[in-house]
Amino acid sequence: MKKILVVDEDIVGGSGLSKSLETQGFLAQNQNIPGRALEIAGSHPFDLILINSDWSQKGSYPFDLTSQIVDAASGCPNIVVMSPREELPIFECHQAGASHILKMPIDMNILLEIIEHTPAK
């Protein structure tokens, strides 16, 4: 069973996404505190980590958080950055270590395809 970490400051949105993933048969965990997300990513192997890129729109902070999670994560999980912006920050996301970027609201069919092609640890 694939393990997924959802890192999103929006408690309701992140929790809803986690529940949707659980109904699809995945083990999903939501974290809305950046420091705690780093601890969890470093101490538990995840197959996929979803990160909301729009943390209060604090400049480059979301990309810093993404690269910190990539550095901290056990087992080099697949990283997906989610963005509500019209112009997706593709270059910045890839520079931070993300393998995919998805426009919010998330198209679950696309996310499920990414998860399907993510190898299980």
Side-chain angles (χ1 to χ4, degrees):
M1 185 175 298
K2 292 183 181 173
K3 291 176 60 179
I4 301 168
L5 175 62
V6 178
V7 181
D8 191 338
E9 73 176 340
D10 176 6
I11 297 170
V12 175
S15 181
L17 180 54
S18 292
K19 284 182 173 66
S20 293
L21 291 168
E22 287 172 356
T23 63
Q24 295 291 327
F26 305 108
L27 289 174
Q29 182 175 354
N30 183 45
Q31 186 48 246
N32 67 325
I33 301 169
R36 185 73 182 120
L38 287 170
E39 290 174 22
I40 292 169
S43 61
H44 297 83
F46 289 93
D47 301 300
L48 187 75
I49 298 177
L50 303 170
I51 303 169
N52 184 338
S53 73
D54 214 31
W55 283 74
S56 300
Q57 300 180 5
K58 298 175 184 169
S60 67
Y61 180 70
F63 305 113
D64 294 341
L65 177 63
T66 301
S67 64
Q68 289 171 3
I69 287 176
V70 168
D71 290 343
S74 322
C76 297
N78 203 358
I79 305 289
V80 176
V81 172
M82 307 174 295
S83 178
R85 300 177 188 173
E86 282 303 314
E87 294 290 323
L88 295 176
I90 295 169
F91 178 76
E92 292 87 348
C93 291
H94 286 294
Q95 288 294 101
S99 52
H100 301 279
I101 181 166
L102 294 178
K103 174 94 172 83
M104 294 171 69
I106 297 298
D107 180 329
M108 284 302 287
N109 291 325
I110 294 172
L111 179 56
L112 292 173
E113 188 175 315
I114 290 169
I115 294 169
E116 179 182 319
H117 290 98
T118 297
K121 304 276 183 249

